[in-house]
Amino acid sequence: MSVDVKKLKVNELKEELQRRGLDTRGLKADLVERLKAALEAEAQDDAPDQGEQDDEYLQDTQDNEDEEGDEDCISVYFVYIAGCKFHTLLILHRSRTPQPPAEDEEENIDDTLVTIDTYNCDLHFKVSRDRYSGYPLTIEGFAYLWAGARASHGVTRGRVCYEMKINEEIPVKHLPSSEPDPHVVRIGWSLNYCSTQLGEEPFSFGYGGTGKKSENCKFADFGEKFGENDVIGCYIDFDSGDEVEMGYSKNGVSLGVAFRTTKEALAGRALFPHVLVKNCAVEFNFGQKSAPYFPPPEGYTYIHNLEMEDKIRGTKGPATKADCEILMMVGLPACGKTTWAIKHAETNPEKKYNILGTNAIMDKMKVMGLRRQKNYAGRWDVLIQQATQCLNRLIEIAARKRRNYILDQTNVYGSARRRKMRPFEGFQRKAIVICPTDEDLKERTLKQTNEQGKDVPDHAVLEMKANFTLPEACDFLEAVTYAELQREEAETLLKQYNEEGRKAGPPPEKRFDNRQGGFRGRGGGGSFQRYDNRDGYSNVGYIQCAQLMSLLKHIHCFYTNVLYVVNFNMIFVYLAGYNRGSYNQNRWGNSYRDGGSDSRSSGYNRSQQSGGTYNRSAPYSKGAYNQVLTHSEKLNN
C-alpha cells in the first residue's frame, strides 16, 4: 500500500526522514523530494516479498520466521566471483548483538497543570511539546487504527468542562475508498483504568463525529456529525442529585445531555477527559487559554482552573527503566497467551500494561466497536499484514518509553527471545510460558478457528514445534514463570513436540529441489523459502553457482560480485556493490526512532534504465573483479 508523500504534513515528512537518518532541514518541497528519493531507493532495494509468508498465520509466525537473522544465529555466506562458475563457499559466522535504543527525552512539566498525559495514551498517539495537542501516526497500517489519550487529571465533584478542537483531518489517500469513516474523533470521559478505546467498556463515555454516542460498546444516535475545525465542548455535572450528567456542545451550541450514571456506581472514582481519534489532529482547551473557543454554560469551571484538592491525578508512569517490566509470552499458537495477558493486565490495573500483539492491534481497528474479520473477509489478509507492520513499529517505540508491557507473540525460538529482549535492556524482563496439555491445545485451537477464523497451517505449527525451546533465566531474562504445566511436565511434552516436528521435516514449499535449480515455493519453480535446521546445515548444502543464480533471480540480488546472505532470512549486505552503512539484522533495525526500520547511508547511487538494465557502480575492487553487469548478463553467468 503506497503513501502519497505530497499529502504528508511537514512534521510527518520530518519524522519519516528522521527514521531513515536523513536531513530534516528545508522547505516542504525539499522534504518531499528527499523522502520520495528515499522511498524509491527502498522500493528497488528491499528484496523480501510478503508473498513468501502465508497471510492467514502471519500474525503468529512472522516473528518466528525471522529468527535466522538473530544476533546468535549462524550466518551463511555465499561468495560468487563473476566468471567463475561452480564456486561457492559456506562460512559460519556469529553476528553482532543490537544495542538498546536511547530513551525518549520528555521535558519536565508542572504536575499541577492539566494536560494530555503522555503515560496514559496509546504509543502511536503523538503528544505535542506543550501537552495540549496531539495526533496519531497515520502512515501505512496506522491509518486503520484508533489512537486514544486521557488527561492527566480527573474530577469527582462540581460542574466541570473542557473543549476540544479538530485542527486537521490528516490525508490518508493510501486507505481503500471503501474504508468507512477514515476521519473521526470520539470525545468524552472515562475512568483512570479504562482502556484507551473510549466508549467501548463500562464507565467510558464517548460522543463521536459520526453522530453517535457510546458506552460499553452500546451505540446510539446523538447530536450531529462533526469534523475538521469544529469545537466540541464537554461538560460533566456532579451537582444534579444522585446522578452524574455528561453533556456536549458543538461550536457553542448545546447538544444536551448524552450520558447519565449514578454516584453510587462510580463509587467515588474520578472521570477523566478522554479523546479517541482516527487520522485527525486535535487540540484541547482545559482552561489554559486566555480566552475559550466558546463561553461555557453558566456555573461550569474549566478543569484547569479548579483548586488542586478538586482535581485527581491519574496514575504516574515509572520513574526509571528499572521500575518497568516486560513480560514475554512463550507458547504455540492458540495455547492461551492472549487470554492470560488480558487477564493479567485486568488483575493488575495499577501497572497499566501495554499489550503488544497483533490481537491488540486488531482491537484498535474496530468499526462501531466490532472487530473487522466478520465484515472484511475480502481484505482480511491485508489487514493482518498491516497489523504486523504496526506491531513492529510499536515495539520500536515501546523500548524507548518507561511503561510496563506484555509481548503477546509465540516466541518459541530461543534466538527470537534474545533479539526481542535486547532493546529492553534495563527493564525487568520476564518470560511467561503457556504450555497446556496436548488435549487442551487441540481444543483451544479448534475454538480459536471457529470463533476468530484464525487458522494456523499445520506445517507452520510443526515447524514451531520442531524448534520450540523453553526459556531459562539468563542475561536477558531475569525470571521464567510457568502459567499452566510446570517445567518438568512441559519438558516432557516439549520432547514430544520436537520429535513430531522434526519427523515432519520442512513443508514441501521450503525444500530444496535440485531439478528446479532452487527452492520450491508458492511463487513457482525456484522460489525462495526459509527453513532453519537448528541441528546443522545438512538441508542447506553446497549450492552450485548455476543454482544459486537461479535462486537469486527471484530475490533481485544479482547486482554485485560478492553477496552476504544472513542465514536465508533475506536480509542482505552487499560487500562489493556499495556499503549500506550500519545495516543491522535485528528486526527493529538500527534507528529506534518512531517507526524506523533501518538507517541507510546516502553514499551510493543507482539508476534504472530502459530495458530492465540496472547500473550500479562497484567501488569495491579486488583484482580484476570491478565491473557492472546488466540484468541478462547476471542471469547468464
Side-chain angles (χ1 to χ4, degrees), residues 44 79 84 92 120 153 176 192 227 234 254 269 301 319 338 346 399 405 448 529 569 599 624 636:
Q44 293 181 18
V79 180
C84 298
L92 302 183
N120 215 340
H153 295 73
N192 180 39
C234 301
S254 175
R269 293 172 295 179
T301 303
T338 301
E346 291 175 348
Y405 301 104
Q448 177 179 269
Q529 293 286 339
N569 73 341
S599 179
N636 291 332

Side-chain angles (χ1 to χ4, degrees), residues 268-284:
R269 293 172 295 179
L271 286 168
F272 290 70
H274 188 154
V275 69
L276 185 67
V277 302
K278 186 191 290 183
N279 305 318
C280 292
V282 297
E283 182 177 359
F284 286 90

Side-chain angles (χ1 to χ4, degrees), residues 79-88 517 543-553 557-562 624-637:
V79 180
Y80 170 67
I81 301 179
C84 298
K85 301 176 182 179
F86 311 116
H87 280 79
T88 57
I543 302 176
Q544 297 295 329
C545 279
Q547 296 168 332
L548 176 61
M549 294 313 293
S550 175
L551 181 154
L552 294 183
K553 74 179 180 180
C557 290
F558 35 77
Y559 303 112
T560 184
N561 300 337
V562 183
Y625 302 110
N626 186 2
Q627 56 183 312
V628 177
L629 301 181
T630 65
H631 180 95
S632 59
E633 288 172 337
K634 293 174 187 296
L635 293 182
N636 291 332
N637 278 338

